[in-house]
């Protein structure tokens, strides 16, 4: 019977079970054996990671033809104006790639996000603001490149959801198990986030 795990990947952890170049890996978090990440998060990004031993599901998620919305909170330098946000929404050129239209807005009110270890660098003379950005692509470091292209570098990036699966209040470094029936590709993200703890499952470390 395949297993499905939602994990809150902390900053500085690789999306793999083998340590590399001194970096932390998934091996230290007590995850069940035989699971693989369905997609990746960069070492310096945080948030939702789906792990499973369901090979066909992984292939479906990673196939670029099966676009799955992914929502991120991005802490960026300075406050983007309406024109900058519209550039994100309309799609823009990053390197040799034209991004597809996306959703992007300033979070109001600003969320209370737990401090990162190590903390984000802060410049007292430069304000920062959390954006919510939903994309349907998975290019390498895409959200960071997009915000940089409009002149607002990303200081911190947290993936909040993949399709209808949401991070919710799962603490960093902990995980919970869900059922296959909880994964509803193609359904709207908003208001359908899977955050329940099925059966007697608890957050685990």
């Amino acid at each position: 019977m395949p297993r499905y795990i939602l994990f809150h990947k902390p900053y500085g952890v690789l999306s793999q079970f083998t340590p590399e170049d001194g970096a932390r890996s998934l091996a230290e978090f007590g995850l069940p054996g035989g699971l693989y990440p369905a997609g990746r998060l960069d070492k310096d990004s945080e948030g939702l990671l789906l792990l499973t031993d369901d090979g066909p599901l992984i292939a479906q998620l990673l196939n670029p033809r099966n676009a799955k919305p992914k929502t991120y909170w991005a802490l960026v330098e300075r406050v983007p104006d309406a024109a900058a946000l519209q550039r994100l929404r309309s799609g823009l050129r990053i390197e040799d790639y034209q991004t597809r239209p996306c959703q992007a807005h300033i979070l109001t009110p600003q969320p209370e996000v737990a401090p990162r270890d190590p903390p984000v660098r802060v410049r007292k003379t430069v304000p920062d603001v959390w954006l919510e950005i939903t994309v349907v692509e998975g290019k390498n470091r895409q959200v960071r490149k997009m915000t940089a292209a409009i002149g607002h570098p990303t200081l911190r990036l947290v993936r909040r959801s993949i399709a209808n699966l949401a991070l919710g209040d799962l603490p960093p470094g902990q995980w919970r198990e869900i059922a296959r029936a909880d994964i509803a590709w193609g359904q709207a993200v908003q208001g359908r986030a899977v955050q329940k703890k099925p059966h007697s499952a608890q957050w685990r470390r």
Side-chain angles (χ1 to χ4, degrees):
M1 181 74 67
R3 301 184 71 178
Y4 307 90
I5 298 292
L6 300 184
F7 175 62
H8 187 159
K9 189 189 85 66
Y11 175 85
V13 175
L14 298 172
S15 295
Q16 60 190 49
F17 285 90
T18 304
E20 188 175 297
D21 298 328
R24 301 167 65 194
S25 76
L26 300 176
E28 67 180 76
F29 296 97
L31 291 156
L35 303 184
Y36 300 91
R40 301 177 64 85
L41 277 175
D42 297 326
K43 182 177 71 171
D44 51 357
S45 298
E46 311 161 60
L48 185 64
L49 196 63
L50 172 65
L51 297 104
T52 182
D53 52 1
D54 185 340
L57 180 74
I58 294 176
Q60 183 187 59
L61 177 63
L62 298 184
N63 190 326
R65 291 178 297 180
N66 301 324
K68 307 294 186 297
K70 303 177 187 71
T71 297
Y72 296 83
W73 286 357
L75 182 67
V76 302
E77 283 190 353
R78 299 181 303 280
V79 180
D81 60 18
L85 291 174
Q86 187 55 44
R87 286 187 64 202
L88 284 180
R89 297 185 190 113
S90 300
L92 66 164
R93 196 78 178 175
I94 52 173
E95 298 173 350
D96 61 348
Y97 181 73
Q98 179 73 25
T99 65
R100 296 174 63 180
C102 72
Q103 300 176 32
H105 64 272
I106 296 172
L107 284 165
T108 305
Q110 287 282 279
E112 294 184 7
V113 182
R116 196 186 73 183
D117 183 20
V120 173
R121 63 179 177 85
V122 175
R123 292 194 290 171
K124 293 182 179 180
T125 58
V126 180
D128 52 51
V129 68
W130 284 100
L131 307 182
E132 182 173 272
I133 301 172
T134 299
V135 298
V136 293
E137 305 152 283
K139 297 293 183 179
N140 182 45
R141 302 179 71 82
Q142 178 175 337
V143 172
R144 294 179 185 275
K145 291 176 181 177
M146 288 169 64
T147 66
I150 62 166
H152 296 272
T154 291
L155 304 174
R156 188 177 177 188
L157 189 64
V158 183
R159 184 157 66 192
R160 298 294 305 178
S161 68
I162 304 170
N164 75 308
L165 304 177
L167 188 63
D169 57 0
L170 186 66
Q174 300 194 24
W175 55 273
R176 62 170 171 260
E177 189 158 5
I178 61 172
R180 176 63 181 88
D182 293 325
I183 303 173
W185 300 143
Q187 296 188 18
V189 175
Q190 301 298 326
R192 300 187 60 89
V194 172
Q195 300 182 26
K196 68 180 181 178
K197 297 186 280 289
H199 311 301
S200 59
Q202 300 294 320
W203 288 335
R204 297 169 181 169
R205 171 68 187 264

